[in-house]
Amino acid sequence: MVAPGHDAYLLPQLDISEHSLNEDQKAKLIEVRRKKALVKRELNVIDQEINRINQELSKFDSRPVSDTTKETQHTLEDAQGRQRFNLDPKKGIESLVSSGILNDTPEDIAMLLYKGEKLNKTKIGEYLGEHREPNLTVLRRFVELFEFQKMDIVTALRAFLGKFRLPGEAQKIDRMMEEFAVVYCQANSTVYSKSDTCYVLAFSIIMLNTSLHNPCVKEKLTADQFVKMNNGINDGGDLPAQLLINAYHSIKTTPFEIPEEDPMDFTITFYNPDKRGYLVKEGGKRKTWKKRYFVLTDNCLYYFVRESDTEPKGIVPLENLIVTECKDRKFTFEIRSEEKFIKAAKTDSGGKMVSGNHEHYRIQANNQEEMTSWMDAIQKSISKDPFYAQMQQRKKNAMSKQ
């Protein structure tokens, strides 16, 4: 709960009819409301930190004043550094190092991320995925902190993926999974001939998790299919069938737990979008057309029921998609997948985010110019997922004898 009196520091509620505002004024109003929501959340975090510090201070009453002051300063700097990390990982690390709380070594930074105390797991994944130093060395030291010896690969993956949230970019995921495969293979060299084998199997298990537990996937993989899928990946030979069957049943019984997003993430995401505005969208089941507020940012298309909403009604990751103009409806374009269904998410009637089940999205603009502008912006944001090519090459490497 936010402490009494905080509203005095916030912008007052504006008693303004949105119908009387033009588009620029509406945009400024919604920006003010979003910033206000973010400030409230930050104040709530500060409140919790103050309460925690007060509890710590109560332990110092019997100590000399100089000792108490020093420990209080240390606690404050530690909390500040972690909060900065949750907004900008690089600046957070720099803050903790400059205050003397953290040693500027890959080993110490890796241990900080491994413990993860009060650190956002999305930001941990973001830091570990960067293709530069010291991040690359920190990633290796981070993976080496796991004790993978004699640990089955599903348990190892659960431990590894539970420490952070995988970033969205394919290249970052590839680097992180490559490090996992190398370290895990070294710890279990009597079972796996090379790291490419661990890499392919790890992704097979992640895909199995999707197949068994994603409601959009109708054809569920069987244990036999999973075994056959991984034939020949161990330096041209087969992995023990029981190892694969055990992995299958482990995932079938207990899916991977994905770390939750920080509640502030959405608010921060929408501050500087590539494009935003009202469009008319066709419904999925009833095919009715409804006005929705769209935001294009970070290779995703978000849509809201109202511009003032802080959480989206639906999310469409712009990956392996095609955008084309519709000929049967004026100023309308269609977003379609190269596969059967678009990988998307939407909010159900109970407010829970669930997987979408769309073959396409049809969206109408107000005029030709607006439609062309949105189509161009979306086209620029569409990314091609190189996982298919990467996985094929990895599988080829794993199946070839050294």
Side-chain angles (χ1 to χ4, degrees):
M1 295 290 292
V2 177
H6 275 172
D7 284 342
Y9 300 98
L10 303 176
L11 295 172
Q13 292 286 349
L14 301 178
D15 186 17
I16 298 173
S17 171
E18 293 191 20
H19 298 292
S20 65
L21 303 178
N22 60 34
E23 289 302 316
D24 286 341
Q25 290 171 328
K26 286 181 181 179
K28 289 177 182 177
L29 179 59
I30 191 61
E31 197 70 13
V32 167
R33 286 175 176 170
R34 284 187 184 143
K35 286 181 179 179
K36 178 179 176 181
L38 182 59
V39 169
K40 280 187 174 181
R41 287 191 178 100
E42 289 177 339
L43 286 172
N44 192 26
V45 171
I46 292 169
D47 263 351
Q48 293 172 357
E49 192 58 39
I50 289 172
N51 289 335
R52 190 180 70 81
I53 291 169
N54 284 336
Q55 290 175 1
E56 292 290 328
L57 284 173
S58 65
K59 302 175 185 177
F60 303 148
D61 289 342
S62 60
R63 301 183 189 182
V65 174
S66 59
D67 289 348
T68 303
T69 304
K70 187 180 291 185
E71 291 210 30
T72 304
Q73 182 67 23
H74 183 278
T75 301
L76 283 168
E77 288 174 344
D78 181 72
Q80 272 186 336
R82 291 172 192 271
Q83 288 173 14
R84 283 176 184 160
F85 180 94
N86 292 337
L87 294 174
D88 185 321
K90 183 181 177 183
K91 289 182 180 177
I93 295 292
E94 290 172 351
S95 174
L96 290 168
V97 169
S98 65
S99 61
I101 292 168
L102 179 69
N103 292 324
D104 192 11
T105 66
E107 291 76 13
D108 282 58
I109 297 172
M111 181 59 76
L112 173 81
L113 304 184
Y114 181 84
K115 290 181 177 178
E117 295 172 5
K118 297 185 180 177
L119 299 182
N120 180 286
K121 292 192 176 184
T122 299
K123 293 298 182 181
I124 294 175
E126 180 183 313
Y127 182 88
L128 292 173
E130 290 296 331
H131 191 226
R132 62 170 179 249
E133 292 294 355
N135 305 60
L136 293 169
T137 304
V138 170
L139 173 61
R140 171 55 67 92
R141 299 294 172 262
F142 176 83
V143 182
E144 289 173 345
L145 288 170
F146 293 86
E147 296 181 358
F148 289 143
Q149 293 85 355
K150 297 182 180 180
M151 184 184 290
D152 69 83
I153 193 167
V154 176
T155 303
L157 277 170
R158 291 189 197 281
F160 182 61
L161 298 176
K163 290 289 185 180
F164 60 93
R165 191 178 184 89
L166 279 171
E169 297 88 339
Q171 292 84 357
K172 291 184 178 182
I173 296 174
D174 179 63
R175 281 194 296 274
M176 297 166 84
M177 295 306 295
E178 169 68 18
E179 288 297 336
F180 167 82
V182 168
V183 175
Y184 182 80
C185 186
Q186 289 171 350
N188 297 274
S189 57
T190 57
V191 180
Y192 302 94
S193 300
K194 47 178 144 178
S195 62
D196 280 322
T197 301
C198 295
Y199 180 99
V200 172
L201 181 57
F203 268 111
S204 292
I205 291 169
I206 291 172
M207 287 188 286
L208 173 67
N209 186 78
T210 301
S211 170
L212 295 180
H213 300 288
N214 188 327
C216 293
V217 179
K218 305 303 180 186
E219 301 276 339
K220 305 296 183 184
L221 271 177
T222 66
D224 286 342
Q225 287 172 329
F226 181 69
V227 171
K228 288 177 182 177
M229 199 174 115
N230 290 288
N231 281 346
I233 66 170
N234 195 26
D235 201 15
D238 294 343
L239 289 167
Q242 195 59 50
L243 181 151
L244 297 173
I245 291 170
N246 290 345
Y248 177 91
H249 287 295
S250 177
I251 293 296
K252 185 176 181 180
T253 304
T254 310
F256 286 129
E257 290 185 9
I258 306 300
E260 293 293 330
E261 290 280 10
D262 187 282
M264 288 171 59
D265 282 354
F266 273 143
T267 310
I268 295 168
T269 295
F270 303 134
Y271 269 163
N272 296 296
D274 300 322
K275 194 169 181 61
R276 62 185 176 188
Y278 277 105
L279 297 167
V280 180
K281 173 186 165 295
E282 182 185 48
K285 290 183 179 179
R286 298 178 183 174
K287 304 302 179 186
T288 54
W289 291 80
K290 293 184 179 179
K291 191 176 182 181
R292 295 287 183 254
Y293 187 73
F294 284 81
V295 175
L296 177 64
T297 184
D298 292 336
N299 302 105
C300 281
L301 184 64
Y302 302 83
Y303 59 90
F304 304 76
V305 175
R306 292 169 296 276
E307 185 179 359
S308 57
D309 292 348
T310 57
E311 293 190 7
K313 177 73 174 174
I315 307 170
V316 185
L318 298 173
E319 189 175 276
N320 298 327
L321 300 180
I322 302 166
V323 56
T324 57
E325 183 176 353
C326 297
K327 302 300 182 184
D328 60 338
R329 189 178 176 94
K330 223 176 176 184
F331 313 138
T332 301
F333 60 92
E334 179 178 271
I335 301 173
R336 181 178 293 277
S337 174
E338 294 178 359
E339 300 177 357
K340 186 175 180 182
F341 292 106
I342 294 176
K343 298 174 184 176
K346 63 180 181 179
T347 307
D348 64 12
S349 58
K352 182 181 178 183
M353 191 65 77
V354 297
S355 297
N357 194 22
H358 290 75
E359 293 185 7
H360 61 261
Y361 285 86
R362 282 161 57 90
I363 301 168
Q364 185 177 33
N366 292 315
N367 52 56
Q368 184 72 29
E369 183 182 356
E370 185 179 59
M371 181 195 74
T372 303
S373 175
W374 271 100
M375 288 180 66
D376 289 345
I378 291 171
Q379 187 63 57
K380 288 177 184 176
S381 293
I382 291 175
S383 63
K384 297 294 180 182
D385 185 354
F387 274 151
Y388 297 107
Q390 288 173 357
M391 281 295 293
Q392 289 300 319
Q393 186 58 48
R394 293 278 185 175
K395 196 160 189 177
K396 186 178 178 181
N397 293 343
M399 294 178 75
S400 63
K401 293 187 177 181
Q402 291 176 325

